[in-house]
Amino acid sequence: MSLLNWLKTTEARVGVVGTANSGKTVLLTALIDHLMHHNPDRFRLGPRGTAVRQFEERPRDTGWERFPFEAHRNALVQSRSWPRKTTDRAQFVCQFERSDWTFSNCLLKLYDLPGERVADAAMLGRTFAQWSEHRLAQLLSDTTYHVHCAEYLGAARRPDATEAELLGAYRLALARLLLGYKPLISPSAFLLDARGGYARRGSAEEIAAARFCGSGPESQFCPLPPDRCAPGDPLFAAFSERYARYAVEVVRPTIDAFRSCSALVVLLDVATVLAGGAGFYNDAQQIVRDLFDALRPGENPVLGPVARGLSKVFLPHAWRPGWITRAAFVAPKADLVHPDDRDAVLRLLRDMVEPRARDCTGLKWECFNVASVCSARERREGGPRAMRGFLVYGPDGRVRPRGDAEDHYTVSQPPDGWPHDDWPPNRYRFPEVYPRVPARRDHPPDHLGLDALASFVIE
Ligand SMILES: Nc1nc2c(ncn2[C@@H]2O[C@H](COP(=O)(O)OP(=O)(O)OP(=O)(O)O)[C@@H](O)[C@H]2O)c(=O)[nH]1
Ligand SMILES: [Mg+2]
């Protein structure tokens, strides 16, 4: 890069976070596609008419795997299926000119991670004893957790419980949480290990026997009650050491890297939270709380916005201070919700995140409804909340191959506000569909609101 080019480059680092299956990888794939094949009429970046020119991929930072854009895009276009789930953190770096930026180019760094890892965010900045306390408080605060974790909580209460008993009971609890669709499964290596191995289907006992709560069989740990977190206790010493190693090897490289982003995109799948019931709502809120505690977004109180602006112009990229100044909260898969109800979903999202976002001094934040790949559509002639799309699940609840003709179906109407009382799983239904993507390689898929999100985070 020439000196002139280097001086006139503005860097935006955008990290996308959210639980597994929330739509991070699809969002990044669609975003890259729209920037690469930019059409201002279909993707409005910044002021009307802004064009993206000279798009090129740039080398990624050391230590990062490349975000496999082509593989994800090919999955969508060729096999008309969604991309595979992410098993490792990945980065995509690109540079382009924006016609509305007279004096600088944009160097955009995008970050993806496996959603399971967000459950480990609470480990950052906490000692083993603090994490144990935090985790036990979570397990005790919710009745569904009580039910799934009864044996483990019983073992934790017994002062003479052995390491094998505690670990066995905790693995069983994690397996039950997995089967109960609870997203707070930590250490997340139980679900997805460092080599990309994933917990397979089976009974809770089978899953518990096949997986480890830690990086491997000899590195397992589980939360200990306060009276067993005593210095000198051999089990406490062993778990503390394994926990510290896990935090350094697994959590820091994945979650901590997001701290240096300039903007964070937080996906909160409101439709899935509604479908999952009140327990799911509590978990989603806890995840945002843990993530924000770990990443501490907001303006740097010492340096502030002026210093940040100056550093962007005068410092080499590697020296520029990184901290999160923008957070975009996104309700993904907006196409699954009927168009009449998308404002209601946005209100639900805002209600969920506003208290936490408001606490972050200096943080600019906004809420967005986004469909990265618009795949379900309204069916005007079909009555209230009639939709069409290629449904993934048949009436028996099993995955079925993509059909040749679109299915006709209806979706639920979301409530005006989050219900105060418990609501059961499956009261609200927003069925999954196969992707609808144009076959032309240079024609990115239709989207909803992805450009407004991009305009907010690429500043
Ligand atoms: N209808 C619709 N479905 C979507 C959209 N984006 C994602 N999905 C659905 O959500 C699923 C998960 O999307 P991913 O992008 O792989 O989710 P992720 O957050 O990367 O998940 P992990 O890699 O497991 O962390 C897909 O398989 C689709 O079923 C969208 O824009 N519209
Ligand atoms: Mg992914």
Side-chain angles (χ1 to χ4, degrees):
M1 201 188 295
S2 74
L3 180 65
L4 185 65
N5 240 337
W6 170 68
L7 274 176
K8 65 180 256 220
T9 300
T10 296
E11 186 171 308
R13 299 180 208 159
V14 180
V16 183
V17 291
T19 51
N21 208 46
S22 56
K24 304 177 290 297
T25 302
V26 174
L27 186 146
L28 285 168
T29 306
L31 174 61
I32 296 166
D33 207 1
H34 279 285
L35 293 172
M36 197 180 268
H37 306 109
H38 188 236
N39 175 347
D41 297 331
R42 298 187 65 223
F43 193 88
R44 187 178 153 187
L45 186 66
R48 187 178 290 283
T50 297
V52 170
R53 290 188 302 241
Q54 312 275 351
F55 179 98
E56 57 177 30
E57 188 176 347
R58 306 285 311 164
R60 62 193 184 276
D61 295 338
T62 11
W64 282 86
E65 287 299 314
R66 178 175 178 272
F67 178 78
F69 165 72
E70 294 79 8
H72 294 323
R73 164 87 180 141
N74 285 347
L76 288 167
V77 177
Q78 278 158 13
S79 45
R80 303 198 161 206
S81 56
W82 297 104
R84 278 168 181 273
K85 84 151 269 81
T86 307
T87 53
D88 200 359
R89 61 182 200 145
Q91 188 195 45
F92 189 89
V93 182
C94 56
Q95 183 162 358
F96 53 87
E97 287 177 20
R98 287 176 61 153
S99 58
D100 61 328
W101 289 8
T102 320
F103 299 110
S104 66
N105 297 325
C106 180
L107 181 71
L108 177 63
K109 294 186 174 177
L110 298 166
Y111 300 82
D112 191 17
L113 88 176
E116 289 76 9
R117 296 283 179 255
V118 299
D120 291 337
M123 289 185 186
L124 285 178
R126 280 192 173 86
T127 62
F128 172 67
Q130 289 165 336
W131 174 76
S132 289
E133 191 185 344
H134 182 75
R135 193 78 189 112
L136 277 166
Q138 275 168 8
L139 300 184
L140 291 166
S141 68
D142 185 308
T143 40
T144 2
Y145 278 111
H146 284 188
V147 177
H148 290 312
C149 306
E151 273 124 341
Y152 162 70
L153 292 171
R157 253 180 250 119
R158 275 190 12 244
D160 60 342
T162 62
E163 172 176 343
E165 284 169 337
L166 283 163
L167 290 175
Y170 191 63
R171 284 198 307 267
L172 192 61
L174 295 187
R176 290 199 181 128
L177 293 176
L178 168 63
L179 295 175
Y181 301 103
K182 305 291 278 177
L184 271 170
I185 295 180
S186 181
S188 66
F190 181 80
L191 273 182
L192 173 70
D193 57 51
R195 272 171 259 102
Y198 202 77
R200 294 190 190 282
R201 282 168 190 277
S203 68
E205 287 71 17
E206 283 164 348
I207 297 172
R211 307 294 305 172
F212 306 116
C213 46
S215 308
E218 306 305 326
S219 326
Q220 301 187 77
F221 57 92
C222 68
L224 287 179
D227 55 331
R228 297 204 65 175
C229 289
D233 182 316
L235 190 58
F236 174 62
F239 279 9
S240 297
E241 193 266 323
R242 295 172 198 171
Y243 167 89
R245 206 153 13 100
Y246 180 83
V248 168
E249 287 169 6
V250 180
V251 191
R252 257 206 227 140
T254 322
I255 306 282
D256 217 23
F258 282 69
R259 254 192 213 165
S260 66
C261 285
S262 46
L264 204 60
V265 176
V266 184
L267 300 195
L268 267 167
D269 189 350
V270 174
T272 302
V273 174
L274 279 171
F280 216 91
Y281 173 94
N282 295 333
D283 291 346
Q285 264 216 332
Q286 183 66 50
I287 283 168
V288 174
R289 228 176 290 141
D290 286 349
L291 261 176
F292 270 49
D293 287 348
L295 299 177
R296 284 184 259 117
E299 197 62 73
N300 185 309
V302 182
L303 298 171
V306 176
R308 188 167 61 87
L310 289 175
S311 74
K312 269 185 170 185
V313 179
F314 293 114
L315 289 181
H317 305 298
W319 299 357
R320 291 176 193 175
W323 62 90
I324 301 160
T325 53
R326 288 179 171 236
F329 295 97
V330 171
K333 315 179 195 178
D335 55 318
L336 296 181
V337 175
H338 192 274
D340 292 349
D341 299 327
R342 291 186 188 143
D343 288 345
V345 165
L346 205 57
R347 279 196 300 276
L348 291 171
L349 175 67
R350 181 173 287 277
D351 286 354
M352 212 169 163
V353 301
E354 188 162 14
R356 194 67 194 88
R358 255 197 283 118
D359 281 350
C360 302
T361 314
L363 181 73
K364 280 208 178 82
W365 64 277
E366 257 183 53
C367 292
F368 299 85
N369 246 328
V370 171
S372 312
V373 176
C374 231
S375 303
R377 294 179 292 179
E378 127 187 64
R379 194 159 56 89
R380 289 220 174 81
E381 67 285 7
R385 300 199 162 69
M387 304 285 287
R388 62 197 163 112
F390 298 94
L391 288 174
V392 173
Y393 293 98
D396 55 0
R398 285 169 191 254
V399 174
R400 56 179 205 173
R402 189 182 197 273
D404 291 330
E406 278 185 312
D407 297 289
H408 290 179
Y409 60 99
T410 55
V411 291
S412 301
Q413 176 181 9
D416 281 336
W418 290 105
H420 292 297
D421 299 323
D422 199 1
W423 72 97
N426 291 324
R427 173 178 294 173
Y428 299 99
R429 289 191 66 251
F430 304 93
E432 274 179 41
V433 293
Y434 283 102
R436 161 182 289 282
V437 213
R440 252 180 58 194
R441 288 196 138 262
D442 60 350
H443 197 74
D446 288 338
H447 70 93
L448 264 173
L450 187 61
D451 48 2
L453 168 69
S455 304
F456 178 73
V457 292
I458 307 175
E459 54 124 16

